[in-house]
Amino acid sequence: MIYELNKSHFYKVSHLLTGDLVNIEIKGVVQGYQPGWVFVEHIDHPKTAMIWSKAIDGFYFIGDENNTDFNDYINQFISLDIAPRAKDLGLISFEFSGTSLSWDKTLESVFQNRELHRSKQFTYKYKNIINASIAEIELQNGFEMMEVNVFLLEKKLSNLDFVTSMILDWWDSLDDFFVSGVGFCILYKDQIVSCCISSCVTDDAMGSHTVTLNDYRNHGLAKKLIHQFLTYCRDHGFEPNWDCMEENLGSRLLAESCGYTKDSEYILYHFKLY
């Protein structure tokens, strides 16, 4: 059988957060920062878990990949329990990854009767951020940088929903973000033209998500915001993380130009739910 843990009991899978491919999206859910759900084969002493990250609409498998008490039931559980919930959220695919090469072999076997599609994800980290010397980037005249906080939301700006919708894509509420996250944006006149927020947060790491309006790209705005984010991480003891698809060359080059180095890669699978 597969059971869903109450959020107050997510700590019961903390001992499964081991291995190089257990990323901050997984830890962010388990540690209670990011919205999501946890499913296990045993309520009190789980050996295996499936983590559903609401923010990225994705699933991760952690723990013992040879646990038949979990593996023998997960297909049925996805069809009967996950698929209806996913449909209510507008999802048509089950997107997932393992946390080791052994998990990949298990998942390909468990889902061998599904039509699996594969792609590759790259993860980057900013090594030794505590000693990093982060370059200052000057903004062009007319541009102003501000922190994303309650005071920003009180300003008379034409597109505050640009920032609030970004936050709510990753967080359960604005209040949760203001307590545990950080963000910076660039204003031009009365409009927010570029924004960077912490997307995933753990006890000791942060990921970021940056968006720039089309008309203001190629002005170095994203890089300026990322440098500000990196400075925050350095000053507050967080290791910066970055995750992107292998084929997203622009994202990879931006990460590397800001000082991130490739840390790992993993296979991302998906199949249709209905």
Side-chain angles (χ1 to χ4, degrees):
M1 293 290 291
I2 306 292
Y3 307 93
E4 180 175 353
L5 286 181
N6 184 282
K7 187 173 182 178
S8 63
H9 292 164
F10 283 5
Y11 71 89
K12 293 181 178 180
V13 301
S14 295
H15 66 289
L16 304 179
L17 300 178
T18 59
D20 293 338
L21 297 183
V22 176
N23 58 34
I24 63 171
E25 286 85 0
I26 301 170
K27 293 179 180 178
V29 172
V30 173
Q31 294 176 358
Y33 294 99
Q34 256 54 62
W37 304 271
V38 176
F39 307 91
V40 297
E41 91 293 355
H42 195 288
I43 290 290
D44 295 315
H45 305 288
K47 296 180 180 178
T48 307
M50 179 176 72
I51 313 300
W52 182 358
S53 170
K54 181 182 177 183
I56 63 168
D57 298 327
F59 298 77
Y60 298 94
F61 293 84
I62 61 174
D64 180 6
E65 71 276 8
N66 297 313
N67 184 357
T68 56
D69 289 338
F70 182 91
N71 297 343
D72 289 350
Y73 294 96
I74 191 60
N75 253 307
Q76 182 182 40
F77 185 77
I78 290 170
S79 295
L80 297 181
D81 292 78
I82 298 299
R85 292 171 62 171
K87 187 174 184 179
D88 288 342
L89 294 173
L91 306 181
I92 62 173
S93 294
F94 183 80
E95 188 173 275
F96 64 99
S97 65
T99 46
S100 68
L101 293 177
S102 296
W103 257 117
D104 288 348
K105 294 178 182 178
T106 293
L107 293 171
E108 298 217 4
S109 175
V110 167
F111 299 124
Q112 59 183 307
N113 293 324
R114 307 268 192 174
E115 187 178 344
L116 288 180
H117 301 270
R118 300 163 182 81
S119 59
K120 189 175 288 186
Q121 293 285 117
F122 286 177
T123 63
Y124 291 81
K125 292 184 179 181
Y126 198 112
K127 306 291 185 179
N128 198 23
I129 184 68
I130 194 69
N131 296 315
S133 178
I134 301 167
E136 277 286 333
I137 299 176
E138 294 294 327
L139 285 173
Q140 298 176 24
N141 288 339
F143 291 92
E144 176 189 7
M145 186 170 67
M146 289 192 64
E147 185 174 352
V148 177
N149 53 29
V150 292
F151 301 107
L152 175 74
L153 300 187
E154 293 172 353
K155 293 181 69 69
K156 294 182 178 179
L157 301 172
S158 63
N159 63 337
L160 279 173
D161 60 317
F162 174 28
V163 171
T164 56
S165 63
M166 271 185 69
I167 293 172
L168 295 176
D169 279 343
W170 293 93
W171 297 79
D172 258 342
S173 68
L174 296 179
D175 287 342
D176 285 351
F177 170 78
F178 291 139
V179 169
S180 301
V182 67
F184 304 95
C185 66
I186 292 175
L187 281 59
Y188 184 72
K189 296 182 179 178
D190 67 342
Q191 187 179 37
I192 299 167
V193 298
S194 189
C195 185
C196 173
I197 65 164
S198 50
S199 51
C200 294
V201 175
T202 73
D203 292 340
D204 57 9
M206 275 194 180
S208 63
H209 182 62
T210 306
V211 178
T212 301
L213 298 183
N214 288 335
D215 291 344
Y216 295 90
R217 292 180 179 176
N218 302 315
H219 287 75
L221 303 183
K223 195 167 186 176
K224 169 67 175 178
L225 291 173
I226 293 166
H227 279 213
Q228 190 67 28
F229 169 79
L230 291 172
T231 300
Y232 178 91
C233 289
R234 180 193 64 190
D235 295 345
H236 293 82
F238 291 98
E239 180 182 62
N241 283 234
W242 189 292
D243 191 298
C244 63
M245 297 179 68
E246 178 186 30
E247 62 190 39
N248 191 344
L249 183 59
S251 181
R252 290 163 51 191
L253 291 175
L254 179 58
E256 292 165 7
S257 72
C258 290
Y260 289 83
T261 56
K262 184 182 173 186
D263 183 66
S264 62
E265 57 185 66
Y266 62 93
I267 298 175
L268 183 66
Y269 300 90
H270 79 270
F271 58 75
K272 295 291 185 182
L273 285 169
Y274 44 85

